[in-house]
Every structure is written in C-alpha cells, then in structure tokens.
Amino acid sequence: MGLVADPASPTDVARRMTNLTPAGDAARDEWDVEFVSEPFTLGLEDVDTALSRLHARGEAHQWDLVIGVTELPLRGEDGRYLLAAIDPRRHSAVLSLPALGGLRVRTRARRAVRGLISGMSEPDRPDEHRVPLRGRNGRGRVLLGMVLANRPWLLAAGLKSALVAALATGAVATIEPTIWLLAASLSGWRLAAATIASIAVVIAWIVIDGELWDRPDDDSPAARERSRLYNTSTLLTLTIGVVLCYLALYVINLCWALFVLDPAVMGDSLGMSLGYGDLFVLTWFVASAATLGGALGTGLASDDAIRAAAYSKREEDRRARLAGERG
C-alpha cells in the first residue's frame, strides 16, 4: 500500500502511522506500507483530480492501494465538507486532516486510514463515494483543524526579532517618568482599547508585509469559499500567536518592573501616590506600546515561520513542487 502525504503536518502525521490492518482483519498479514512525502493536491482542484493523481502514482509504484493524506479541506459537489473520498475501482482514497478537528489528530487519522483501507478492500462497495462530515458544524470543525495545523503557538519563532525589539523598548519605557504619567492617566477601557489596537495593527502588518491574504482564482462560489476559509484560518492563527506573544511580553516586562522599580520612589519623583498595583497598569500600557513599536520596526515577510501560518503560502509551495515534477 502506498501512503502519500502532503509536506508539513500531513507528513508528520503519516510517518507515525503503524499497524494499518483494518479491525476484523487480524487474520491477514499487516499491510506493507510505502511512505512518500510529496504534494498531490491543490486547493483549486476538485476531489476527482486528487484521486486521479493518486491513482497514477499508485500505478507508477505498483501499489495495490494508495491513500493520500492532505492538510487541505475537501468539499463535495453538494458543498459539504468531506472527511474523505474513496474510489475503490481505482483503489485510491484521500483523507483531509482538517476534517478531524485538530484534536488527537494522529489517533483519529490512523483510525480513518484503516477505515479507508477497509472501504477499498470490500468488493460490494460503490465505484466512488464521499464521507461527509456529520452535523451542522462541519465548516467550524474544518476551520479548527486548519488553525491547529498551523500551530499558532510556534508563531513566536517568526516574531523573534519583533519580540527582541519589543522587549528592549519595554525595558526602557518602564523606567520613563512620562510613561508612568501616561499609564496613570488612562482609564481601563482605554488601556483595553490600546491592547486590541496594538494586536490588530500587528496582525494587519504581518498579513500585508508577508503577503498572506489569499484571493480567489476565479469568481466561482467554490473559489470564494476557499479564500474565505484560508483567510479566516490565517487571521485566527495570527491572532492566537500574537496574543500569546503579547502575554509573554507582559509577563517579562512585569518581572522587570518588579525587579528594578520602587513605586514609592517613583511616586515621590512624580508627586503622586503610587503602589505596586500601579506596576500592573504600567506594564499593561508598556506591553501595548512595545508590541506595536517592536513589530512595525522589524521586517517579517522573509520569515518561514510567519509564512507557514497561511495555507495560501503552503499551497504556493505545493504548486511549485508539482510544476517542477511535471517539468
């Protein structure tokens, strides 16, 4: 059996699959699996194209069965999102990892692959059929799977230069009397607005500077839906990643402020009554200002970790590799 996986997350999941003999077939020898990591799907293609490409690779490698594992969402002709599509006649199938929901992906993917093997092994199955997601939240489940596949908690690797600049900015701003006065003059809702604004500006800057916004290839409803899904997953990924970076910056700045500052001394200098509670407010304001200044002062477009947050960029890589193979 051939197991073909798209690069990145599908490859990581597929490499760890073992014992793929379907349940109930314990008497059979375990399938001899040949693993290949290469792109075989594009977002603008339909499911039949992916199945045809998998079938061609199966014939080239003389596989009895071939299963493709992709990180792209699959949609049926009725518009519903699919977990998988099976073509028993051509002994090929494709599994969409985002449809697994992003939680316990390896275990669920292994179980799904075993089900696909069983589906292609039974002679009484129809020539081709789809496995749609159940319930009304199919799109939400796919979106969650896409966001978690982007691993937003690793976005800090792409923002490391911005984080360093923000930390340096925050360290200096923390001991500036003018910053203390500004922080003390702001109400809670203004501080919250500054936080939201700084995070929003950083996300917009990353999208623009990294050219992460996906545009439809044509005016078809399928292409527009694909772009909406890609862009939503990118924005959610960036939001989670930037918020985590903001919280890390806040904690580090707070520790620095608690270490170097005495609120009573600063209060005497400014003619104000200050306590340690004011350090939390100061750090809140400094984190917002430093986040904004650190990100805008740093180039981000060339960082692979940033570009990996967008499905459209990974699809560009798939297209380039497929074009190279055809050439």
Side-chain angles (χ1 to χ4, degrees):
M1 185 194 80
L3 190 60
V4 182
D6 274 335
S9 178
T11 294
D12 294 338
V13 172
R15 283 188 193 277
R16 291 169 171 78
M17 289 187 184
T18 58
N19 186 20
L20 296 178
T21 301
D25 288 351
R28 292 185 51 179
D29 293 333
E30 185 175 346
W31 284 90
D32 183 16
V33 179
E34 293 185 22
F35 172 75
V36 177
S37 176
E38 60 184 24
F40 67 92
T41 53
L42 296 177
L44 53 84
E45 296 174 338
D46 56 24
V47 177
D48 292 328
T49 302
L51 290 171
S52 298
R53 187 176 285 120
L54 287 170
H55 175 65
R57 289 197 172 126
E59 288 189 329
H61 289 275
Q62 296 183 339
W63 292 328
D64 295 318
L65 300 176
V66 56
I67 296 177
V69 182
T70 181
E71 66 174 353
L72 294 180
L74 302 178
R75 297 184 74 195
E77 295 179 355
D78 58 358
R80 289 195 297 175
Y81 286 97
L82 306 176
L83 173 62
I86 310 173
D87 188 351
R89 180 176 56 85
R90 293 186 291 184
H91 302 97
S92 59
V94 58
L95 170 67
S96 174
L97 290 183
L100 298 174
L103 302 175
R104 299 176 61 244
V105 172
R106 293 175 184 173
T107 301
R108 291 177 176 178
R110 177 175 170 271
R111 187 183 302 125
V113 168
R114 293 176 68 180
L116 293 175
I117 294 173
S118 178
M120 288 187 287
S121 301
E122 297 181 11
D124 58 341
R125 292 294 180 93
D127 287 345
E128 186 174 322
H129 58 279
R130 314 293 197 234
V131 184
L133 291 177
R134 298 176 180 177
R136 299 180 180 179
N137 61 341
R139 189 179 189 276
R141 183 175 182 177
V142 169
L143 183 60
L144 174 63
M146 294 174 70
V147 171
L148 294 181
N150 287 336
R151 296 180 292 184
W153 51 89
L154 298 181
L155 190 63
L159 294 173
K160 56 183 179 296
S161 56
L163 281 173
V164 171
L167 285 171
T169 302
V172 175
T174 299
I175 59 176
E176 280 291 325
T178 303
I179 300 298
W180 277 79
L181 291 173
L182 285 174
S185 67
L186 294 176
S187 60
W189 73 266
R190 287 187 176 181
L191 287 169
T195 299
I196 296 172
S198 64
I199 291 174
V201 170
V202 170
I203 292 172
W205 175 250
I206 293 174
V207 171
I208 295 171
D209 193 46
E211 300 178 354
L212 303 183
W213 196 254
D214 184 74
R215 292 175 175 79
D217 296 286
D218 51 54
D219 292 331
S220 66
R224 291 197 299 270
E225 168 61 16
R226 165 187 163 276
S227 289
R228 284 194 295 268
L229 193 65
Y230 279 19
N231 291 330
T232 302
S233 69
T234 296
L235 290 177
L236 288 176
T237 299
L238 292 176
T239 299
I240 294 172
V242 173
V243 167
L244 291 176
C245 290
Y246 181 94
L247 293 176
L249 181 63
Y250 177 87
V251 171
I252 294 173
N253 281 333
L254 179 60
C255 292
W256 167 250
L258 290 171
F259 179 73
V260 302
L261 291 178
D262 185 337
V265 173
M266 186 63 73
D268 291 340
S269 175
L270 298 175
M272 302 170 59
S273 177
L274 298 175
Y276 278 96
D278 294 296
L279 290 181
F280 291 87
V281 176
L282 169 69
T283 304
W284 187 1
F285 176 69
V286 168
S288 299
T291 296
L292 190 59
L296 296 183
T298 309
L300 302 170
S302 62
D303 199 292
D304 292 337
I306 294 293
R307 295 169 67 85
Y311 264 68
S312 58
K313 292 303 177 183
R314 295 206 292 277
E315 184 163 326
E316 286 181 8
D317 295 337
R318 281 189 289 270
R319 292 182 185 182
R321 289 186 58 175
L322 283 172
E325 292 172 3
R326 293 168 184 170

